[in-house]
Amino acid sequence: MNQMTKARPRLLAAAVLAALTLPGAAFAQTAKERELEARVAQLEAMVQQLVTQQQQTDTVVTEVRTAQAAQPVAPAVATGTGAAAPIQATTITPGANPGTKFTVGGMIRTDGLVTKTTDGDIAKGTAGRDFYVPGAIPVGGDGPDTYSDAHLKFSRLWFDASTVLDSGDKLGARVELDFFGGALGNSAATNTYGATLRHAYLTYNNWLVGQTWSNFMDTNALLDAVDFVGPTDAVVFVRQPQLRYTNGPWAISVESPETTVQPFGGAGGPAPARVIAGDNSAIPDVIARYTHKGDWGHVSFAGMARQLKYEPVAGAESTDTGYGATVSGLVKLGESTDIRYQVSGGDGIGRYIGLATIQQDAMIDSAGNLDALGGWAGYVGLRQVFTPAVRGNLFYAQSQWDNDTAWTGLGVTRKVHSVHANVIWSPVPKLDFGVEAIWGERTLESGADGELMRLHTMARYSF
């Protein structure tokens, strides 16, 4: 409080007394004069009280401003007067490093599908009813069948935290969930499903530790599909625990080893029913990737080496070596057109292709020994933006496998392929409506095949 404010009561009192003693005053020191003096004293006390209250208010404002200045800047909202006010005065991550940025996002997605299969239906409650799974296409069943499905399992929620320390070190973390877990209710009434962990990892400068997309997978070459995956016949699609180091165009990782095995003699039915558990090798899968980017798009090369392991009984361990390579990329053909592609091949890469639903990493011979299964896979797609609100995609995918039928029998998958065409409409940003027509075929080593025809629709709001 300045000196002028403090002097106001005394000046006011002096002014009143001066007025009372001016020459020509019509009255002297009387009872009336003493009454006026009492009123002046009362007025002085009231002014002093107001000054004290103002001092207290100034002190509180200073303390609040000091506390706010010590906190990270919070998002602001309009007050209607042209000013902005913080949503809250304190961080929502009080246990984090100072300056941590916390974000949350996700999407609400509804899928509706009408499916026709030529050789019986896909079992209800399995993944093949929710999106295109080529290894689940029935072969040799009881004739054609048509059925509809709808769900919201691919809705997501994610949380991010990132910090740049005073030292310049960068820290980050991400947790992402969807609802593609097991059913907790039934489709007749509740349609409830469990939350599923998709990603959970931390980053420290160039290092990543945790679960996310495999380094063998090029997410920037994925197609713009209405189906959850799209070219499932051929795409590298794996999320798993890993340790990864990235420096410029190079990324090197060691990832969780897991071997999937085709049993001796094979079996009929979709691929998951034919898989027998392998074992985790003592050596993690080792993957290296190089990516070159330009105004024209990008091209990426990745190589993998891994040990396959199978131990049907204790002390009877069998191993083999797996290896693979993949080339992928995106090529821009002007402002509104691009081509996306991927070609992969090798021995012992089955679980990395098509969500491990088409073929396995290895076969078992008559003596119980493990032998890496060879194969190749590839897709190519054309994306066209017709208007700022409408885009479309046309793509083809295929994979083929080198089964030794003396070991696997004739009931295993030799080839899967599919054609997809879609149109996606985005009337406003972050809101998409799409429809995709799909034709797919699975062929066994016996030559028998089955087809799938599907119309897949999608509504999605991302936030």
Side-chain angles (χ1 to χ4, degrees):
M1 184 63 58
N2 57 36
Q3 295 298 321
M4 181 62 71
T5 302
K6 294 178 180 178
R8 285 175 184 169
R10 297 174 184 174
L11 292 174
L12 181 60
V16 174
L17 289 174
L20 292 175
T21 57
L22 285 174
F27 49 87
Q29 290 289 339
T30 64
K32 190 172 184 179
E33 183 179 17
R34 289 192 295 273
E35 181 182 351
L36 288 174
E37 290 178 348
R39 290 182 179 180
V40 169
Q42 183 182 10
L43 179 60
E44 182 178 3
M46 292 175 62
V47 172
Q48 184 60 47
Q49 183 180 4
L50 290 173
V51 170
T52 302
Q53 291 176 348
Q54 182 64 41
Q55 290 175 331
Q56 293 173 344
T57 300
D58 290 344
T59 300
V60 171
V61 170
T62 301
E63 291 176 350
V64 170
R65 289 176 176 173
T66 301
Q68 289 178 337
Q71 299 296 334
V73 177
V77 294
T79 62
T81 61
I87 294 176
Q88 61 182 50
T90 60
T91 177
I92 60 174
T93 55
N97 283 309
T100 293
K101 179 181 178 181
F102 179 80
T103 55
V104 60
M107 70 177 180
I108 301 298
R109 171 174 168 144
T110 303
D111 290 83
L113 309 86
V114 179
T115 305
K116 179 178 180 180
T117 42
T118 60
D119 291 64
D121 62 350
I122 300 172
K124 188 174 182 179
T126 62
R129 296 285 288 258
D130 298 326
F131 64 102
Y132 176 62
V133 180
I137 298 176
V139 177
D142 55 1
D145 198 2
T146 304
Y147 35 93
S148 299
D149 297 281
H151 64 88
L152 285 90
K153 300 176 186 177
F154 301 139
S155 300
R156 297 179 193 167
L157 186 63
W158 54 258
F159 306 90
D160 270 358
S162 59
T163 310
V164 179
L165 302 178
D166 293 340
S167 62
D169 292 313
K170 297 179 180 179
L171 299 175
R174 184 180 182 94
V175 175
E176 182 177 316
L177 309 172
D178 67 12
F179 302 90
F180 196 50
L184 301 177
N186 58 71
S187 58
T190 59
N191 288 279
T192 51
Y193 295 88
T196 303
L197 182 68
R198 287 171 54 84
H199 301 274
Y201 60 84
L202 64 89
T203 58
Y204 172 56
N205 293 330
N206 294 358
W207 294 91
L208 179 148
V209 183
Q211 175 171 303
T212 190
W213 299 118
S214 170
N215 193 29
F216 200 56
M217 177 178 176
D218 182 4
T219 57
N220 293 319
L222 290 176
L223 296 173
D224 190 7
V226 171
D227 180 82
F228 176 62
V229 179
T232 317
D233 317 74
V235 70
V236 176
F237 198 95
V238 173
R239 290 189 304 266
Q240 61 190 5
Q242 61 192 270
L243 171 64
R244 184 188 303 185
Y245 179 78
T246 303
N247 190 353
W250 288 97
I252 300 173
S253 65
V254 289
E255 306 189 11
S256 177
E258 177 74 24
T259 303
T260 61
V261 179
Q262 186 72 257
F264 180 73
R274 298 193 309 270
V275 181
I276 58 176
D279 204 348
N280 281 21
S281 168
I283 304 172
D285 294 357
V286 179
I287 302 169
R289 175 176 292 278
Y290 175 82
T291 302
H292 178 69
K293 298 179 180 180
D295 294 339
W296 50 269
H298 81 277
V299 60
S300 191
F301 306 88
M304 175 173 59
R306 56 193 307 240
Q307 183 189 65
L308 309 177
K309 183 179 177 182
Y310 176 55
E311 190 174 8
V313 295
E317 177 183 300
S318 177
T319 62
D320 199 3
T321 300
Y323 60 88
T326 182
V327 180
S328 56
L330 183 153
V331 179
K332 297 178 182 178
L333 304 176
E335 293 295 325
S336 58
T337 308
D338 66 62
I339 293 176
R340 307 179 189 201
Y341 64 91
Q342 182 178 85
V343 179
S344 308
D347 285 355
I349 64 171
R351 81 171 179 89
Y352 279 85
I353 305 295
L355 296 92
T357 65
I358 304 167
Q359 266 297 356
Q360 313 315 315
D361 295 324
M363 306 169 285
I364 297 295
D365 65 16
S366 58
N369 297 315
L370 200 65
D371 190 79
L373 175 62
W376 67 271
Y379 68 76
V380 61
L382 175 69
R383 182 177 186 267
Q384 177 67 48
V385 178
F386 301 108
T387 73
V390 179
R391 62 191 186 273
N393 299 267
L394 176 66
F395 52 94
Y396 174 78
Q398 177 181 332
S399 66
Q400 192 157 330
W401 304 91
D402 301 326
N403 300 288
D404 187 329
T405 57
W407 299 345
T408 64
L410 299 176
V412 296
T413 300
R414 174 170 58 86
K415 173 184 173 182
V416 292
H417 63 146
S418 65
V419 179
H420 304 241
N422 67 47
V423 176
I424 302 172
W425 174 48
S426 303
V428 295
K430 304 296 184 179
L431 179 63
D432 301 311
F433 298 97
V435 59
E436 182 167 305
I438 304 171
W439 174 85
E441 181 181 55
R442 181 166 76 101
T443 303
L444 307 183
E445 285 291 350
S446 65
D449 58 38
E451 297 179 54
L452 172 146
M453 286 73 72
R454 173 172 285 169
L455 191 67
H456 191 144
T457 62
M458 173 270 293
R460 174 179 59 205
Y461 171 55
S462 303
F463 55 87

